[in-house]
Amino acid sequence: MEEVVAASDVIEYTDSKDNDIFAETKLFKQDIATAARKRRKMQRNIIGWLFSVWPFVGWCIFGGIPFILSIILSLAELHNFDITNFQFIGFDNYKWIFTDQKGEFWFSMRQTLYYCLSLPIGIFLGLGTAVLLTRHVKLTKMFRTILFIPNVCSVVGVSMMWKLVFHRQYGVVNAILLAMGREFPIDFLGDPDWFMPVVIFTTTWGAGAGSILFQAALEQVNQSLIEAAEIDGASKTRIFFRITLPAISPTTFYVVTMNTIGALQAMANIQILASDGRNPLDPKTGNSIPLTAVYFIYWMAFNQPMIYGLGKASAAAWVLTIIIVIITRINFKLGDYWVCYDN
Amino acid sequence: MEEKIYNSQNFVPNKKKIQRPPIGTYIMLILYSLYILVPFYIIFISSLKSIQEAAFAEFTWYPTRGVTWGAFKRVFESNEIQRGFVNTLTFYTPVTLVSVFVSALASYGFAKMEWAGRNAIFSFLLLTMMIPGCVTMTATRLMYDTIGWIGTPLPVMIPGMFGGIGMVFFMRQYMKGIPDDLIGAAKIDGMSEIKIFLVLIIPLSVPALLTQGVLSFIGHYNDYLGALLYLIDEPLYTLQIAIKNMVDTYRTDLPAQMAACFLGMLPMLLIYLFLQNYILKGISMSSGLKG
C-alpha cells in the first residue's frame, strides 16, 4: 500500500530526470517531491497516531497517574480518601511491613502462597481433560461447552454456590459424609484446617479455560512426528511425554505464568467464601486478619483505614508486586529449561 | 491366499475409520462434567425449596415438601436485583460498545499502518498488561475521590472506553490477516483511511469484534471488585454487588439467596450457550501463540 501512496512522487521524479536542460526546474521539482513525501509521511504519522493512540492515552490517565500516585502514597501517611490530609513520612511504611511484630502481611502472604497450590491441580485437570477430548470422543462439542461454563459465571454466584455446597448444616458434602457414617458435620469454611483446601478445590472447578487452550495446542501438534514415533514402536506414554508435552510447552508456560499472576492476586472468592473474608484461623481472639495479600491490602485501605491507612496499603501492594515480579522472573528463567518453541 | 503386503507403494492410510477411545475416557469426562454441573443443580433445587424445608431439614436432592417459587418472588420483591440489573446494563453496555470500536480503530492502526513510534507504543502497551492491578487499587480510588467521581458511575465507565489492551492485541492479530491489496485498492479508489476502516475493515472483522465484545461484556457483567471499590452509593450498585448484599441481608432465607445467585448467573450462561463458538474460539486464540 505504500507504493501506491508514493506513486505520484515517482512519476514527478522521473519526469524531471529526462530534461537536463531544465536543471533548475529538476531541482525545484525534486524539492517539491521531497517536500510532498515528507508531508505525506507526516500526514501518515498523524493519522496513525489518531487511530492508535487511544489505549495509550487511557492507560496514561487511568493507569499511569495511579501508578505514580501509589509510589508517592507508599511513602506517606493518609487515613482517608482526602488528599489534603497527605503527610510525607518516608520509608516508615516499608519498615512497618518488614519489622511488624505480628507479621500480618507475611501471614497473608503465606496464605496466598498456600492458595497457589491450586495451580498445579488446575493445570493437571485442564491438560487431562484436553488430552481426553482430543481422542476423537463423541460429543466433544458438548463436553467442551460444559468445561468452560465455570468461566462465564460471576465470582459472587460461584462462591455463594460453593458456600452452600460446603455448608455445615445444609451442605451436600456434609449430608453425604453423614450418610456414610460420620457422626458430626464438618464446618468446612470455619475450620482452619479445612478452609484453604476447600478454597483450592473450588478454584480448580474453573480449570476449563486452561483446558480450552490446551485443546487448541494439542490440535496443532505435528501428527507426522507422532506417526513416525508409532512406526518406530514407541509406547503411547513415551510419545506423550517425549513429543506431545514438549510440543505444547509454550501453551503450558502461558497458562502457568498467567495463572500464577492471577492466583497471587486472589481476593474476591476468598472474601465471599470466608465469612467476610476474615481469617477463620483465629476466630476467638477477634483480631483475625484477612487471608490473602490483596485482600489484606484492600482491608487496610478500605475497611480499617484508621488503624492501617492508605500508605501502609500502598507499601504492601508494592511489596506484593515485587514478589510477583520475582516469581514471574523465576518462571521465565525456569521456562528456558522446559519450554520448546521450535516445532 | 495372497497375503497383502504394505509398503510405501501400496500403503493407503485408512482415514475414514476414526478410532474411538475406550469407555474409560467417557466415564472420566462424564464425571468431570458432573463435577461442573451438579453445583448448579444444587443451587437451583435449593431455590425451589420452602424456607422451612431449607432451614430445618438437612440436605435433600429434591424438594421433599413440594416445589415453590416463593424464593424467586421474595428476591424480586425488594427490587434490588432489578435495579442492579438495570445499572449493570446501563453502565456496561456503552462501555463495551465504545471500547470495541476504539480497540478496533487502534488495532487497525497497529496492524495496517506505518507510522513513527508504532512498535514502541505497542510494546509499551503490552508491558502495562504486566502491572498487577492490586498495586494501583488504592491510588486509583484516591484519584477518583479527588476528582469527584466517587458517587457517579464514571469510574467503571470512562477508563474502559479507551479500549482494552488485550482486545487490541487480539484484533490486531485478526486484522493482520486482511490482505493488503484490498486496502491498497480502496486507496486507489480514493477512500480515506477512516472510510476504509468503516466500510471495509469493520465488516471484515465482525467475528473478531463480536468475540471480543461478548467476552468483554461477560467480564464487565461479572466484575465484582471494580464495582466494590468505586461504586459505594446504594443507587449505583451493580447486579453483583446487589446479589452480595442480598445474600448478607437474607442470612436465614437460604432459598432466596440461591434464587438470587441463580438469577445472577443465568443471563451470561444463556449468552454463552448461544455464542459459544465465538467465545471458545476467542479463548483458544487469546494466548497469542498462533500469530
Side-chain angles (χ1 to χ4, degrees), chain A residues 253 329-341:
Chain A
F253 180 67
R329 283 295 302 168
I330 294 173
N331 255 340
F332 271 87
K333 277 266 174 265
L334 289 176
D336 289 346
Y337 293 102
W338 60 272
V339 181
C340 136
Y341 285 103

Side-chain angles (χ1 to χ4, degrees), chain A residues 1-2 4-5 44-45 47-63 65-67 69-70 73 78 80-83 125-126 129 132-133 135-138 141 143-158 160-162 164-165 167 169-172 175-176 178 201-202 204-205 207-209 212-213 216 220 236 250-251 254 261 265 267-268 271-272 276 294 297-298 301-302 310 313-314 317-318 320-321 324 341, chain B residues 18-22 25-26 28-30 32-33 35-37 39-40 42-43 46 54-59 61 102 105-110 112-117 121 124-125 128 130-146 149 158-159 162-163 165 168 180 183-184 187-188 193-194 197 215 218 222 224-225 228-229 240 243-244 247-248 251 254 257-258 261 265 268-269 272-273 276-277 279-280 283-287 289-290:
Chain A
M1 74 190 176
E2 241 187 284
V4 177
V5 177
R44 225 166 39 213
N45 280 346
I47 293 175
W49 276 84
L50 282 178
F51 266 77
S52 295
V53 85
W54 305 110
F56 179 69
V57 171
W59 187 84
C60 286
I61 301 171
F62 299 106
I65 294 175
F67 186 79
L69 190 61
S70 95
L73 260 184
L78 189 60
N80 54 17
F81 288 98
D82 183 356
I83 205 157
L125 283 178
T129 48
L132 291 181
L133 277 180
R135 279 190 188 169
H136 308 291
V137 183
K138 277 183 192 171
K141 223 185 139 207
F143 283 123
R144 264 165 71 98
T145 307
I146 293 174
L147 272 183
F148 196 68
I149 284 180
N151 298 80
V152 295
C153 296
S154 71
V155 64
V156 177
V158 169
M160 287 315 302
M161 189 173 87
W162 287 116
L164 174 71
V165 169
H167 198 283
Q169 194 182 345
Y170 321 117
V172 56
I176 292 172
L178 289 174
F201 179 82
T202 63
T204 53
W205 186 65
I212 302 295
L213 291 178
Q220 304 261 305
K236 280 212 161 137
T251 302
Y254 174 81
I261 295 174
Q265 294 188 70
M267 161 184 170
Q271 185 211 5
I272 300 167
D276 302 325
V294 173
I297 291 164
Y298 169 83
F302 294 84
L310 276 63
S314 296
W318 274 102
L320 174 66
T321 304
I324 291 176
Y341 285 103
Chain B
I18 297 171
Q19 211 189 339
R20 295 287 178 193
T25 309
Y26 288 100
M28 280 193 274
L29 282 172
I30 289 169
Y32 194 81
S33 304
Y35 165 50
I36 286 173
L37 293 178
F40 285 107
I42 292 172
I43 60 166
S46 303
F56 297 115
E58 53 184 44
F59 180 81
W61 285 97
V102 172
L105 200 69
S107 316
Y108 177 55
F110 283 122
K112 290 290 177 190
M113 289 182 188
E114 298 277 337
W115 43 281
I121 298 255
F124 181 80
L125 286 180
T128 61
M130 296 285 156
I131 299 171
C134 64
V135 71
T136 51
M137 192 165 77
T138 315
T140 312
R141 169 67 190 276
L142 182 62
M143 181 174 93
Y144 292 146
D145 251 311
T146 313
W149 278 15
I158 303 298
F162 284 89
I165 294 155
V168 169
D180 280 344
I183 299 164
K187 268 186 191 149
I188 290 174
E193 291 279 10
I194 190 77
F197 173 73
L215 279 175
I218 292 178
N222 288 338
Y224 168 68
L225 199 55
L228 181 74
L229 291 176
Q240 301 304 328
I243 291 173
K244 174 76 169 61
V247 164
D248 289 343
R251 258 180 207 292
L254 210 64
Q257 287 185 13
M258 290 306 126
C261 290
M265 289 196 271
M268 290 306 109
L269 280 175
Y272 168 65
L273 290 179
Q276 50 170 308
N277 286 341
I279 294 173
L280 292 179
I283 292 295
S284 54
M285 278 176 78
S286 65
S287 67
L289 295 164
K290 284 190 176 173

Side-chain angles (χ1 to χ4, degrees), chain A residues 7 14 18 53 56 76 99 129 131 150 223 245 253 288 306 308 319:
Chain A
T14 41
D18 294 338
V53 85
F56 179 69
T99 57
T129 48
V131 169
Q223 288 300 318
L245 265 193
F253 180 67
S288 52
M306 295 323 284
Y308 297 95
V319 173

Side-chain angles (χ1 to χ4, degrees), chain A residues 217-231:
Chain A
L218 284 169
E219 275 158 18
Q220 304 261 305
V221 174
N222 192 344
Q223 288 300 318
S224 55
L225 280 179
I226 293 176
E227 276 162 26
E230 270 171 359
I231 289 167

Side-chain angles (χ1 to χ4, degrees), chain B residues 90-251:
Chain B
T90 41
F91 298 165
Y92 293 126
T93 316
V95 180
T96 310
L97 294 176
V98 173
S99 103
V100 166
F101 181 79
V102 172
S103 301
L105 200 69
S107 316
Y108 177 55
F110 283 122
K112 290 290 177 190
M113 289 182 188
E114 298 277 337
W115 43 281
R118 184 183 70 169
N119 294 338
I121 298 255
F122 192 67
S123 322
F124 181 80
L125 286 180
L126 287 186
L127 198 69
T128 61
M129 280 173 82
M130 296 285 156
I131 299 171
C134 64
V135 71
T136 51
M137 192 165 77
T138 315
T140 312
R141 169 67 190 276
L142 182 62
M143 181 174 93
Y144 292 146
D145 251 311
T146 313
I147 59 178
W149 278 15
I150 297 298
T152 69
L154 295 176
V156 295
M157 294 178 75
I158 303 298
M161 289 191 176
F162 284 89
I165 294 155
M167 238 189 227
V168 169
F169 187 75
F170 176 88
M171 291 182 188
R172 174 177 162 272
Q173 295 298 100
Y174 190 89
M175 287 181 186
K176 274 188 163 178
I178 297 173
D180 280 344
D181 297 347
L182 207 63
I183 299 164
K187 268 186 191 149
I188 290 174
D189 286 349
M191 276 198 206
S192 64
E193 291 279 10
I194 190 77
K195 202 171 171 200
I196 291 175
F197 173 73
L198 290 176
V199 303
L200 202 63
I201 303 295
I202 289 206
L204 283 174
S205 318
V206 164
L209 302 191
L210 190 62
T211 304
Q212 288 301 304
V214 170
L215 279 175
S216 151
F217 187 73
I218 292 178
H220 281 311
Y221 179 95
N222 288 338
D223 181 33
Y224 168 68
L225 199 55
L228 181 74
L229 291 176
Y230 308 128
L231 302 177
I232 52 167
D233 292 340
E234 219 188 317
L236 293 176
Y237 282 165
T238 59
L239 184 62
Q240 301 304 328
I241 304 286
I243 291 173
K244 174 76 169 61
N245 281 0
M246 207 154 182
V247 164
D248 289 343
T249 37
Y250 282 75
R251 258 180 207 292

